[in-house]
Amino acid sequence: MQVYVEYVVIDNMVIDTLILLITCRLNKINIKKWKILLISLFGTLVALLSPLLSGVWLILAKLICGLSMPLFLLKKPTIKQYIIVSLSFFLSTMLLGGVCLGFCSLFNIKYIVSNGSISIYNFPVGLALTLGVVTYFILKSLISHFFKVKQTSKFIYDIKLEYGSVKLKTKAFLDSGNRLIDHKTNKPVNLVDYEILSQICPNITLADILLKRYEKLKLKNLHEIEVQSVAKSSKILVFEIDNIIIQDKVFNSALVGFSLNSFNGELNADCILSPLLFE
């Protein structure tokens, strides 16, 4: 019986803590770690008492536990907030439980459902906890990614770049930190990556740019400007295009700078706009 108690305590404390952390991350709840541990301890105590209960009392104990744990996460919850947090909590619980059962199904590990609890044979505690931790970190990364995409999407615009006969439709990110100014023309600098530059000048290669073989670039007002950073200063290539069109607003003779960095992977855009355009 001692082994069983240790299993329940370790398993439930860790898994409940992971479920609560996922729930907090999904709902952006700031809560002290010791409080999460106390809530997990409450869930563990209910799990320890579960074998002593049956029928209606067992269902009632699990309902109270399941409904109370999300409530303990909130300071002054509204009904809507409580419902959302509770749904997040239940979905996180089902997800972590589903991972373990999916692992059992994959490797033909037998389990039975008895008295409202799942008993899994030949399933080490360490393996269950490892699956829970791995699932938590995967979910944590995904949640961070989705929140980041949601935040950046507010500043993503569909734009059109026009240079002679070339008309390009692309996405641009409005970066409040881009305060680059070309002191020669006194214009703000918008940045494009190689994907855009290669469409404006198909005959230019990345090697030509790195070796500064600019004679192939038949671009308006082509020159270099110096960019200062904390560590060092560098030079970027800038040139003038006919128009940048943003939501039917036309910016004539806009200045564009070439960046060796690709923005598409991180920002889902090929151009970084300067906020100074709108000032």
Side-chain angles (χ1 to χ4, degrees):
M1 186 67 181
Q2 181 67 25
V3 175
Y4 174 75
V5 170
E6 289 176 355
Y7 177 89
V8 171
V9 171
I10 296 170
D11 180 64
N12 279 274
M13 275 298 293
V14 175
I15 297 299
D16 284 352
T17 300
L18 294 175
I19 290 169
L20 291 169
L21 287 172
I22 293 169
T23 304
C24 290
R25 201 162 189 87
L26 280 170
N27 295 278
K28 294 185 176 181
I29 298 172
N30 292 318
I31 185 172
K32 295 186 181 299
K33 296 295 187 290
W34 63 265
K35 190 171 182 181
I36 288 180
L37 290 175
L38 281 179
I39 300 170
S40 299
L41 181 60
F42 169 72
T44 301
L45 290 173
V46 174
L48 280 170
L49 294 172
S50 292
L52 305 176
L53 303 173
S54 61
V56 176
W57 294 109
L58 179 62
I59 295 171
L60 189 61
K62 289 186 175 183
L63 276 175
I64 292 172
C65 180
L67 294 172
S68 299
M69 290 175 76
L71 183 63
F72 294 154
L73 291 173
L74 302 169
K75 291 181 179 179
K76 296 179 180 179
T78 61
I79 294 175
K80 181 181 177 181
Q81 187 183 21
Y82 172 67
I83 290 172
I84 292 171
V85 171
S86 295
L87 288 174
S88 303
F89 175 80
F90 293 133
L91 286 172
S92 301
T93 303
M94 287 187 283
L95 180 61
L96 287 182
V99 168
C100 288
L101 293 182
F103 191 87
C104 291
S105 178
L106 182 64
F107 292 97
N108 200 29
I109 298 173
K110 293 181 180 180
Y111 61 89
I112 61 170
V113 179
S114 177
N115 199 28
S117 300
I118 297 175
S119 301
I120 304 176
Y121 299 101
N122 302 320
F123 200 84
V125 178
L127 181 57
L129 299 184
T130 300
L131 287 174
V133 171
V134 170
T135 303
Y136 166 73
F137 281 108
I138 291 173
L139 277 174
K140 180 181 175 182
S141 299
L142 287 173
I143 292 166
S144 298
H145 171 73
F146 291 137
F147 276 131
K148 186 176 181 181
V149 168
K150 184 180 178 181
Q151 286 297 110
T152 57
S153 64
K154 298 175 183 178
F155 303 98
I156 298 290
Y157 294 87
D158 290 313
I159 69 166
K160 190 174 182 180
L161 304 175
E162 296 182 342
Y163 186 82
S165 60
V166 179
K167 316 286 184 187
L168 298 175
K169 288 183 179 180
T170 188
K171 291 189 179 293
F173 176 69
L174 181 60
D175 183 7
S176 60
N178 177 17
R179 316 296 291 187
L180 280 177
I181 291 284
D182 174 31
H183 296 292
K184 180 181 175 181
T185 59
N186 202 32
K187 290 182 178 180
V189 179
N190 307 280
L191 300 173
V192 297
D193 57 17
Y194 183 70
E195 179 71 24
I196 297 296
L197 184 65
S198 63
Q199 293 182 65
I200 294 174
C201 297
N203 61 332
I204 195 74
T205 66
L206 200 54
D208 291 330
I209 296 169
L210 292 173
L211 296 172
K212 298 190 175 184
R213 296 196 292 254
Y214 299 151
E215 62 273 6
K216 291 184 180 180
L217 290 168
K218 308 299 181 182
L219 298 169
K220 296 178 186 176
N221 201 6
L222 180 66
H223 59 284
E224 289 183 329
I225 64 170
E226 192 167 318
V227 179
Q228 296 286 345
S229 64
V230 176
K232 61 179 181 178
S233 64
S234 58
K235 290 185 177 181
I236 65 169
L237 196 65
V238 298
F239 58 95
E240 218 173 70
I241 64 173
D242 297 335
N243 300 306
I244 294 180
I245 304 173
I246 308 168
Q247 295 182 338
D248 298 325
K249 194 169 185 177
V250 181
F251 299 90
N252 300 310
S253 302
L255 205 64
V256 168
F258 168 66
S259 172
L260 287 170
N261 298 321
S262 176
F263 318 126
N264 212 312
E266 187 177 351
L267 299 173
N268 194 29
D270 289 310
C271 177
I272 292 184
L273 297 173
S274 171
L276 302 175
L277 267 179
F278 304 91
E279 293 179 2

